[in-house]
């Protein structure tokens, strides 16, 4: 399931909803991304996430479908927030349920790696003195590339 | 043709979305961007470095040689930074 | 932090407690292990976890300390339950907070892999007709071995 | 010396924990297990296959050649299955 929203989400309630009544689930791997109060050596007072509404859900759904094709998952959930966020606020939740833990871990990592390089969101940091657009990181491209089909996992 | 811009490309272009009617010789994304840059000012600055331009046509990622047509929605934006 | 308890735990509350007030955290990776209703091709009606109280917290604390020595973690939490559990019940929670997601994922996987082969717990499954002790799985030994120092990660 | 047993080894031994006084020639875990097996019945069955016996002395994992002394707590159990 995909959700794109301005509002906070409740990790416990979301995972409880995934597992409730599905007793084939042996493990849930969840990742929550949070706004940090520093970026490099600059303080961050707040962050604003812009996105491309017409494309966002479509892109996230495609990424989710790819994960479900690659791993035997019982369930999966991506929640991505947009708008203004402050340090400590959660930006994104990826939760993956599977019969076995290895599939849950791998699919969860795959999803967050792909989100970082494929989901149409852009972060603008507010340092208090100025605002600046966050630059894409080469390490995120690298993390995504390792999931390419036909390549070794590392 | 509808064009949408995001993040600093939107700011540099000075517009979030617009309807445009490029001349018939604009066949693909690369041609569209060249034509936009020819409009001067913010557009030339926004698309000065093609290596950082990401493109979606009708909400699907495409490369610069992808064709564009009158009824398309073309999105131009820098590398994404979500997640 | 380590907790060994009979009671249920609240994933959302536990992770909120970790992240509250620590704005250096960029990501939390959490794994929840659950009781499945099948084991192999046998139905499971319930499960009982026995443990070695005098040793359990010591063993978990040693595993946690090892993870915190290997990865730059902001915080970590292991909760392991014992006693009688039913399908759908959570057995274990491992949550790891770090500035960067890769460290959080790796440390979380390391912790659950080690728990499976080092924490002094034993599962007895109740199929309704009989009870039987769960056998250790070679795949868990394999998962733990990949974390040995001086060996490649895979 | 206190010995504690867990899981099916506890069930086969027929006891969860006990105080024992092995003879002086019992120096290490292997010797202790041999002596326990000599007590017959459940013990012989519990420790028939040494390859599945895991040992902790004073709550630390050790191997079969680890020394044991009167004041030790020795735990004997099958491979763990938590997590």
């Amino acid at each position: 399931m995909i959700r794109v929203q301005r509002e906070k989400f409740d990790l416990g309630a979301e995972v409880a909803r995934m597992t409730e009544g599905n007793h084939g689930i042996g493990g849930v791997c969840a990742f929550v991304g949070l706004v940090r109060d520093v970026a490099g050596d600059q303080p961050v007072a707040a962050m604003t996430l812009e996105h491309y509404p017409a494309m966002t859900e479509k892109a996230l759904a495609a990424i989710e479908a790819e994960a479900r094709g690659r791993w035997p998952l019982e369930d999966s959930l991506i929640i991505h927030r947009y708008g203004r966020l402050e340090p400590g606020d959660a930006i994104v939740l990826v939760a993956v349920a599977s019969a076995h833990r290895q599939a849950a871990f791998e699919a969860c990592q795959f999803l967050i790696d792909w989100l970082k390089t494929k989901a149409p969101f852009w972060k603008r940091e507010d340092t208090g003195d100025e605002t600046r657009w966050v630059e894409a990181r080469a390490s995120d491209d690298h993390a995504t590339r390792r999931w390419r089909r036909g390549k070794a996992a590392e | 043709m509808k064009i949408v811009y995001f993040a600093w490309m939107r700011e540099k272009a000075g517009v979030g979305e617009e309807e445009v009617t490029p001349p018939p010789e604009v066949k693909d994304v690369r041609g569209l961007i060249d034509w936009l840059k020819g409009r001067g000012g913010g557009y030339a600055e926004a698309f000065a470095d093609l290596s950082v331009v990401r493109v979606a046509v009708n909400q699907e990622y495409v490369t610069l040689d992808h064709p564009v047509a009158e009824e398309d929605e073309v999105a131009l934006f820098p590398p994404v930074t979500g997640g």
Side-chain angles (χ1 to χ4, degrees), chain A, chain B:
Chain A
M1 187 192 281
I2 300 299
R3 293 211 324 258
V4 181
Q5 64 188 46
R6 193 180 283 278
E7 301 72 33
K8 288 180 192 292
F9 53 80
D10 177 338
L11 169 65
E14 298 297 344
V15 170
R17 196 164 327 170
M18 287 186 94
T19 57
E20 208 170 79
N22 182 345
H23 296 165
I25 296 174
V28 176
C29 181
F31 178 81
V32 179
L34 301 154
V35 180
R36 293 169 62 207
D37 58 7
V38 288
D41 52 1
Q42 292 279 311
V44 173
M47 177 177 276
T48 304
L49 275 119
E50 177 172 329
H51 76 122
Y52 178 8
M55 182 174 175
T56 311
E57 297 206 15
K58 212 165 159 175
L60 297 187
I63 293 170
E64 186 186 41
E66 177 73 22
R68 299 190 71 150
R70 290 190 186 206
W71 287 276
L73 305 182
E74 293 287 330
D75 207 350
S76 54
L77 170 66
I78 301 171
I79 302 177
H80 205 304
R81 294 176 67 193
Y82 62 91
R84 188 173 184 283
L85 302 171
E86 295 183 356
D89 285 345
I91 305 170
V92 63
L93 167 66
V94 174
V96 173
S98 180
H100 301 293
R101 74 182 184 285
Q102 193 60 30
F105 270 104
E106 287 185 13
C108 190
Q109 262 193 291
F110 169 87
L111 285 169
I112 187 71
D113 285 348
W114 271 51
L115 283 180
K116 293 261 176 194
T117 54
K118 299 289 181 188
F121 288 86
W122 299 271
K123 289 179 182 141
R124 199 178 65 223
E125 287 169 350
D126 179 352
T127 66
D129 294 329
E130 49 154 9
T131 68
R132 56 169 184 227
W133 291 95
V134 173
E135 281 191 50
R137 300 191 314 165
S139 63
D140 287 329
D141 283 338
H142 178 78
T144 304
R145 268 199 300 275
R146 72 185 163 137
W147 298 109
R148 276 195 199 154
R149 289 270 192 205
K151 286 209 149 194
E154 299 288 306
Chain B
M1 188 184 300
K2 181 178 175 184
I3 314 195
V4 293
Y5 307 89
F6 292 98
W8 57 261
M9 285 184 192
R10 170 178 56 70
E11 292 180 338
K12 289 197 170 166
V15 59
E17 65 176 75
E18 59 186 336
E19 284 291 334
V20 299
T21 310
E25 57 271 26
V26 167
K27 305 282 191 206
D28 61 10
V29 174
R30 192 183 304 272
L32 175 67
I33 292 174
D34 281 345
W35 177 73
L36 287 169
K37 286 165 81 171
R39 296 164 91 195
Y43 295 102
E45 207 188 328
F47 306 115
D49 179 2
L50 277 187
S51 75
V52 295
V53 181
R54 300 292 177 271
V55 189
V57 170
N58 301 324
Q59 300 90 45
E60 302 273 2
Y61 283 106
V62 298
T63 53
L64 293 175
D65 53 5
H66 192 276
V68 292
E70 199 190 325
E71 65 282 9
D72 286 339
E73 175 171 303
V74 180
L76 301 171
F77 47 80
V80 302
T81 55

